[in-house]
DNA sequence: AGCATTTTATTGAATCTTCAAAAGTTTCCC
DNA sequence: GGGAAACTTTTGAAGATTCAATAAAATGCT
């Protein structure tokens, strides 16, 4: 059993603090200005960038790295707000398609500047271009490692 | 209004994915192996490193970057598990002190190796020593920026 | 075709977090 | 001393997330 080195411990602690504070900060900012938590905003934002502003539920869940269950609950709530609507998928009768409504798009247009400013102020205004590059690379490595579960339950059957 | 550059957008997206997946992964790991979410584990872990394995509520909340309310609920739950107990503070009758019990310490001893392995596998085994250093520095900068709220409501009165 | 398996999406219950309000205590200042 | 203001912690309700179970539809296999 190998423990963390002093440097690793320090980095891990700082990382935990940064992510905890940042999540809290952005959730608060968006809850105040847009009436939704950060993840819900991310769903609208993701949809806004797709052709037709629509996406299959599973695809949207994968793109935003959340579970299908979480997405179902979130979409139900956002649909209640009128920012999203569901359509059934023509090619697969199990499928549902989440569609960003005009009202949802307007809400995004209205709140995006404030959110981007919050992100910029918290992160990018404080980092050098090289640090931004480093952060991107490091994040990518971590995300890649978690994207497809590594150790399956029965590795000897792989 | 200044938007994010292409590099910044890419970094931000990767960072969001990494933190979302990582949080989910570690919560799941600890829920399975220790019966508690990651933040609760962090509370026990933080307490275990203090003299007397005890800390005032507010201090513990600040050290772990969570709200007092969240801490109160968490401590109530962990107390129910027998991993923590409350003592009243002798010098300040408002104060409560969270104390790690022996059972709590044992639980930590039992589950720490698995958790450290999970953290190592997800992060530190994948990064170069320089990247670990970079991650620590970048995280520190972000955390520092959020630690004391920057823009007060009335900056002209500061 | 027929039947088991897999995939998609949702649901409800339990748990966790946030927010605002509350009660008790200490501090500040005159 | 006395009263306002600030601080510490808890509480309950509302909202969010997880997990396991469910239903419906597609796919695979023989």
């Amino acid at each position: 059993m190998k423990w963390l080195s002093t440097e690793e411990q320090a980095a891990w602690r700082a990382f935990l603090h940064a992510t905890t504070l940042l999540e809290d900060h952005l959730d608060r900012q968006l809850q105040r200005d847009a009436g939704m938590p950060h993840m819900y905003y991310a769903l609208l934002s993701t949809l806004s960038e797709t052709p037709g502003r629509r996406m299959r539920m599973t695809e949207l869940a994968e793109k935003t790295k959340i579970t299908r269950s979480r997405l179902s609950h979130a979409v139900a709530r956002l649909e209640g707000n009128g920012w999203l609507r569901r359509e059934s998928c023509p090619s697969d009768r199990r499928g549902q398609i989440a569609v960003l409504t005009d009202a949802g798009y307007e809400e995004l247009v209205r709140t995006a500047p404030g959110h981007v400013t919050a992100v910029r102020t918290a992160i990018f205004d404080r980092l050098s271009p090289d640090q931004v590059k480093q952060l991107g690379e490091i994040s990518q490595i971590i995300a890649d490692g978690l994207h497809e579960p590594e150790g399956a339950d029965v590795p000897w059957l792989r």
Side-chain angles (χ1 to χ4, degrees), chain A residues 119-134:
Chain A
V119 171
R120 174 172 281 305
T121 302
I123 304 184
F124 295 105
D125 282 351
R126 303 177 182 279
L127 301 180
S128 71
D130 183 61
Q131 284 176 319
V132 171
K133 181 163 155 270
Q134 292 289 326

Side-chain angles (χ1 to χ4, degrees), chain A residues 36-50 53-55 57 59-67 70-78 83-84 98-100 108:
Chain A
M36 61 187 138
H38 186 208
M39 185 55 77
Y40 288 27
Y41 176 92
L43 292 174
L44 300 189
S45 170
T46 300
L47 280 180
S48 77
E49 293 171 350
T50 65
R53 293 177 191 156
R54 65 185 57 229
M55 209 182 289
M57 293 294 283
E59 198 188 351
L60 183 53
E62 284 167 0
K63 192 135 193 161
T64 51
K65 317 299 179 196
I66 63 176
T67 62
R70 189 176 177 181
L71 180 61
S72 269
H73 288 292
V75 164
R77 195 274 219 189
L78 290 169
W83 294 331
L84 224 61
V99 186
L100 186 64
L108 216 41

Side-chain angles (χ1 to χ4, degrees), chain A residues 73-91:
Chain A
H73 288 292
V75 164
R77 195 274 219 189
L78 290 169
E79 193 170 31
N81 279 285
W83 294 331
L84 224 61
R85 102 180 91 85
R86 284 157 156 124
E87 288 182 7
S88 41
C89 180
S91 62

